[in-house]
Amino acid sequence: TAWHCNMSAIRRLCFRTSSVVLHGQKRRAAISAGGSCANSGIQYFTARSRPMAQSASYFAVAERLNQFVVAEGVGIASNSGAQLAEFCAFRLPQFVSSAFAARQHQEDGLRSAARSSVKSGPRGIVLATDGSYSQDDQPSEVMRATQQWSSALTEGFALCDQQAETEGLLGGCSALFCVVAKSGTYVASVGLSRAVAGLQRTRSEVSCEDASRPHLPVGDGTVPSRMLGGFGTETQGAMPDVVRLQHSTADRFIVLASSDIWKQGTTEPMTWAAEAMARGSNPAHEILMRVPSAKDGTDSVVLVVYIPRGVGDRLPSHNQLMCGA
């Protein structure tokens, strides 16, 4: 069936993209790279403070799926969580996309059954030229897509957590997962890593909002209240918080970064990122070059996703993971 074809494409895409977007090299400050997602105009920028072989933090990008991951190992006893973080960075796109495709397959079956009992199906949604929804749209299509993505993200994190336990991976892992879809930009998070979204109002004006909430230790505990892994500890599981950002008529960027990046607050890193993009420089590199802890060799990664205005017009339909799927 078409659904099985999509599933095969998901597996090929995730393994191929994750194998080429992890970067590491020995140096004191930041190693940086960047790229773009085909057809959407979305760009991404990455940087890490340590060579990958000496790091417990990872990032991954599935370009054709418009999906971005940051995974930060959480040390438990003598285990740094590095192996688990690498596993989660590589596999979360597959698990989330598989969950989305499975839910879409179920929806298709329900709609097919409904069509057999009515004379006409539901009207399709139409986007206004600026990417906002016109008065003639059916909000139910957007709400349905929102529910599907929220469920897929929750199920994808659970599947990743279950598979990690099955494979006997130790330690814990904070994780941020961002996907840019037609119905909005979604950020799912567990652990201490943090995502912050910025709107580029003018060259010098940036408005920011949190796209995640750190899951701090409970009581006198030492591990995050929620994270991937951490089996046998007091963690409360891997259910992520999911935030949906509506597409904007202004350019937006989202910074996904290790917990150490945000120790002095969000204002300076977001301002540095905006200034770097205005100069045509790598904003992830700029953040790592200027955050004191990263310059001193603390294990940190930064992934910046730039989402241009009107991106909704260039993305796959609500029931697709990628164009032509």
Side-chain angles (χ1 to χ4, degrees), residues 42 59 74 87 101 112 133 140 144 158 175 199-200 206 268 300:
I42 297 170
F59 51 80
V74 175
F87 173 87
S112 178
Y133 294 107
S140 61
R144 185 181 298 116
L199 283 178
Q200 189 78 50
V206 179
E268 287 188 330
S300 301

PDB file of all heavy atoms in Angstrom, residues 42 59 74 87 101 112 133 140 144 158 175 199-200 206 268 300:
ATOM      1  N   ILE A  42      13.597  26.372   4.459  1.00  0.00           N
ATOM      2  CA  ILE A  42      14.066  26.287   5.843  1.00  0.00           C
ATOM      3  C   ILE A  42      15.578  26.052   5.832  1.00  0.00           C
ATOM      4  O   ILE A  42      16.076  25.211   5.087  1.00  0.00           O
ATOM      5  CB  ILE A  42      13.357  25.142   6.588  1.00  0.00           C
ATOM      6  CG1 ILE A  42      11.856  25.419   6.673  1.00  0.00           C
ATOM      7  CG2 ILE A  42      13.945  24.954   7.981  1.00  0.00           C
ATOM      8  CD1 ILE A  42      11.044  24.247   7.166  1.00  0.00           C
ATOM      9  N   PHE A  59      23.190  16.043  17.678  1.00  0.00           N
ATOM     10  CA  PHE A  59      22.067  16.605  16.948  1.00  0.00           C
ATOM     11  C   PHE A  59      21.911  15.841  15.646  1.00  0.00           C
ATOM     12  O   PHE A  59      22.842  15.190  15.170  1.00  0.00           O
ATOM     13  CB  PHE A  59      22.245  18.103  16.670  1.00  0.00           C
ATOM     14  CG  PHE A  59      23.556  18.474  16.042  1.00  0.00           C
ATOM     15  CD1 PHE A  59      23.774  18.308  14.692  1.00  0.00           C
ATOM     16  CD2 PHE A  59      24.578  19.021  16.811  1.00  0.00           C
ATOM     17  CE1 PHE A  59      24.988  18.664  14.108  1.00  0.00           C
ATOM     18  CE2 PHE A  59      25.789  19.388  16.249  1.00  0.00           C
ATOM     19  CZ  PHE A  59      25.998  19.199  14.883  1.00  0.00           C
ATOM     20  N   VAL A  74      22.430  12.470  29.954  1.00  0.00           N
ATOM     21  CA  VAL A  74      22.300  12.772  31.382  1.00  0.00           C
ATOM     22  C   VAL A  74      23.067  11.700  32.148  1.00  0.00           C
ATOM     23  O   VAL A  74      22.758  10.509  32.043  1.00  0.00           O
ATOM     24  CB  VAL A  74      20.825  12.778  31.821  1.00  0.00           C
ATOM     25  CG1 VAL A  74      20.716  12.968  33.336  1.00  0.00           C
ATOM     26  CG2 VAL A  74      20.058  13.875  31.087  1.00  0.00           C
ATOM     27  N   PHE A  87      21.736   7.323  20.220  1.00  0.00           N
ATOM     28  CA  PHE A  87      20.629   6.488  19.765  1.00  0.00           C
ATOM     29  C   PHE A  87      19.373   7.333  19.551  1.00  0.00           C
ATOM     30  O   PHE A  87      18.699   7.215  18.516  1.00  0.00           O
ATOM     31  CB  PHE A  87      20.369   5.387  20.799  1.00  0.00           C
ATOM     32  CG  PHE A  87      19.137   4.555  20.535  1.00  0.00           C
ATOM     33  CD1 PHE A  87      19.207   3.444  19.713  1.00  0.00           C
ATOM     34  CD2 PHE A  87      17.923   4.889  21.117  1.00  0.00           C
ATOM     35  CE1 PHE A  87      18.066   2.680  19.470  1.00  0.00           C
ATOM     36  CE2 PHE A  87      16.786   4.133  20.882  1.00  0.00           C
ATOM     37  CZ  PHE A  87      16.863   3.026  20.045  1.00  0.00           C
ATOM     38  N   ALA A 101       2.711   8.399  10.360  1.00  0.00           N
ATOM     39  CA  ALA A 101       2.218   7.649   9.211  1.00  0.00           C
ATOM     40  C   ALA A 101       1.169   6.623   9.626  1.00  0.00           C
ATOM     41  O   ALA A 101       0.167   6.422   8.932  1.00  0.00           O
ATOM     42  CB  ALA A 101       3.380   6.956   8.501  1.00  0.00           C
ATOM     43  N   SER A 112     -12.466   6.775   4.629  1.00  0.00           N
ATOM     44  CA  SER A 112     -12.992   5.935   3.559  1.00  0.00           C
ATOM     45  C   SER A 112     -14.333   5.336   3.950  1.00  0.00           C
ATOM     46  O   SER A 112     -15.268   5.290   3.157  1.00  0.00           O
ATOM     47  CB  SER A 112     -11.988   4.824   3.240  1.00  0.00           C
ATOM     48  OG  SER A 112     -12.493   3.967   2.236  1.00  0.00           O
ATOM     49  N   TYR A 133      -4.749  31.609   7.746  1.00  0.00           N
ATOM     50  CA  TYR A 133      -5.943  30.949   7.275  1.00  0.00           C
ATOM     51  C   TYR A 133      -7.042  31.959   6.956  1.00  0.00           C
ATOM     52  O   TYR A 133      -7.332  32.848   7.738  1.00  0.00           O
ATOM     53  CB  TYR A 133      -6.432  29.943   8.324  1.00  0.00           C
ATOM     54  CG  TYR A 133      -5.466  28.825   8.511  1.00  0.00           C
ATOM     55  CD1 TYR A 133      -4.682  28.748   9.659  1.00  0.00           C
ATOM     56  CD2 TYR A 133      -5.291  27.882   7.522  1.00  0.00           C
ATOM     57  CE1 TYR A 133      -3.754  27.738   9.822  1.00  0.00           C
ATOM     58  CE2 TYR A 133      -4.365  26.868   7.677  1.00  0.00           C
ATOM     59  CZ  TYR A 133      -3.602  26.798   8.823  1.00  0.00           C
ATOM     60  OH  TYR A 133      -2.681  25.800   8.968  1.00  0.00           O
ATOM     61  N   SER A 140     -11.069  22.716  11.261  1.00  0.00           N
ATOM     62  CA  SER A 140     -11.009  21.321  11.695  1.00  0.00           C
ATOM     63  C   SER A 140      -9.844  20.581  11.057  1.00  0.00           C
ATOM     64  O   SER A 140      -9.274  19.668  11.659  1.00  0.00           O
ATOM     65  CB  SER A 140     -12.320  20.596  11.376  1.00  0.00           C
ATOM     66  OG  SER A 140     -12.561  20.602   9.978  1.00  0.00           O
ATOM     67  N   ARG A 144      -7.163  18.803  13.277  1.00  0.00           N
ATOM     68  CA  ARG A 144      -6.899  17.376  13.115  1.00  0.00           C
ATOM     69  C   ARG A 144      -5.399  17.132  12.948  1.00  0.00           C
ATOM     70  O   ARG A 144      -4.840  16.209  13.543  1.00  0.00           O
ATOM     71  CB  ARG A 144      -7.662  16.823  11.920  1.00  0.00           C
ATOM     72  CG  ARG A 144      -7.529  15.301  11.753  1.00  0.00           C
ATOM     73  CD  ARG A 144      -8.275  14.788  10.541  1.00  0.00           C
ATOM     74  NE  ARG A 144      -9.703  15.041  10.665  1.00  0.00           N
ATOM     75  CZ  ARG A 144     -10.406  15.833   9.871  1.00  0.00           C
ATOM     76  NH1 ARG A 144      -9.798  16.475   8.880  1.00  0.00           N
ATOM     77  NH2 ARG A 144     -11.694  15.988  10.045  1.00  0.00           N
ATOM     78  N   ALA A 158       7.765   7.691  23.232  1.00  0.00           N
ATOM     79  CA  ALA A 158       7.538   6.455  23.989  1.00  0.00           C
ATOM     80  C   ALA A 158       8.181   5.261  23.292  1.00  0.00           C
ATOM     81  O   ALA A 158       8.809   4.413  23.939  1.00  0.00           O
ATOM     82  CB  ALA A 158       6.038   6.225  24.170  1.00  0.00           C
ATOM     83  N   ALA A 175      15.999  15.517  25.455  1.00  0.00           N
ATOM     84  CA  ALA A 175      15.799  15.545  24.004  1.00  0.00           C
ATOM     85  C   ALA A 175      14.855  16.664  23.604  1.00  0.00           C
ATOM     86  O   ALA A 175      13.856  16.926  24.272  1.00  0.00           O
ATOM     87  CB  ALA A 175      15.257  14.199  23.512  1.00  0.00           C
ATOM     88  N   LEU A 199      11.198  35.781  16.820  1.00  0.00           N
ATOM     89  CA  LEU A 199      10.646  36.404  15.629  1.00  0.00           C
ATOM     90  C   LEU A 199      11.493  37.616  15.278  1.00  0.00           C
ATOM     91  O   LEU A 199      11.711  38.499  16.115  1.00  0.00           O
ATOM     92  CB  LEU A 199       9.191  36.831  15.854  1.00  0.00           C
ATOM     93  CG  LEU A 199       8.126  35.744  15.806  1.00  0.00           C
ATOM     94  CD1 LEU A 199       6.757  36.341  16.100  1.00  0.00           C
ATOM     95  CD2 LEU A 199       8.116  35.051  14.451  1.00  0.00           C
ATOM     96  N   GLN A 200      11.974  37.652  14.033  1.00  0.00           N
ATOM     97  CA  GLN A 200      12.812  38.744  13.577  1.00  0.00           C
ATOM     98  C   GLN A 200      11.914  39.868  13.079  1.00  0.00           C
ATOM     99  O   GLN A 200      11.529  39.925  11.912  1.00  0.00           O
ATOM    100  CB  GLN A 200      13.746  38.266  12.457  1.00  0.00           C
ATOM    101  CG  GLN A 200      14.812  39.272  12.064  1.00  0.00           C
ATOM    102  CD  GLN A 200      15.963  39.315  13.057  1.00  0.00           C
ATOM    103  OE1 GLN A 200      16.525  38.290  13.413  1.00  0.00           O
ATOM    104  NE2 GLN A 200      16.318  40.512  13.499  1.00  0.00           N
ATOM    105  N   VAL A 206      14.051  41.654  18.052  1.00  0.00           N
ATOM    106  CA  VAL A 206      13.715  40.238  18.110  1.00  0.00           C
ATOM    107  C   VAL A 206      12.815  40.009  19.315  1.00  0.00           C
ATOM    108  O   VAL A 206      13.120  40.453  20.430  1.00  0.00           O
ATOM    109  CB  VAL A 206      14.979  39.358  18.258  1.00  0.00           C
ATOM    110  CG1 VAL A 206      14.593  37.886  18.336  1.00  0.00           C
ATOM    111  CG2 VAL A 206      15.928  39.586  17.096  1.00  0.00           C
ATOM    112  N   GLU A 268      20.522  37.028  25.734  1.00  0.00           N
ATOM    113  CA  GLU A 268      21.787  37.190  25.021  1.00  0.00           C
ATOM    114  C   GLU A 268      21.971  36.158  23.912  1.00  0.00           C
ATOM    115  O   GLU A 268      22.303  36.538  22.773  1.00  0.00           O
ATOM    116  CB  GLU A 268      22.955  37.152  26.006  1.00  0.00           C
ATOM    117  CG  GLU A 268      23.070  38.412  26.855  1.00  0.00           C
ATOM    118  CD  GLU A 268      24.346  38.420  27.673  1.00  0.00           C
ATOM    119  OE1 GLU A 268      24.823  37.331  28.042  1.00  0.00           O
ATOM    120  OE2 GLU A 268      24.858  39.527  27.942  1.00  0.00           O
ATOM    121  N   SER A 300      28.597  21.002  24.853  1.00  0.00           N
ATOM    122  CA  SER A 300      27.375  21.688  24.433  1.00  0.00           C
ATOM    123  C   SER A 300      27.182  21.548  22.930  1.00  0.00           C
ATOM    124  O   SER A 300      28.150  21.493  22.169  1.00  0.00           O
ATOM    125  CB  SER A 300      27.419  23.185  24.779  1.00  0.00           C
ATOM    126  OG  SER A 300      27.585  23.396  26.165  1.00  0.00           O
TER     127      SER A 300
END
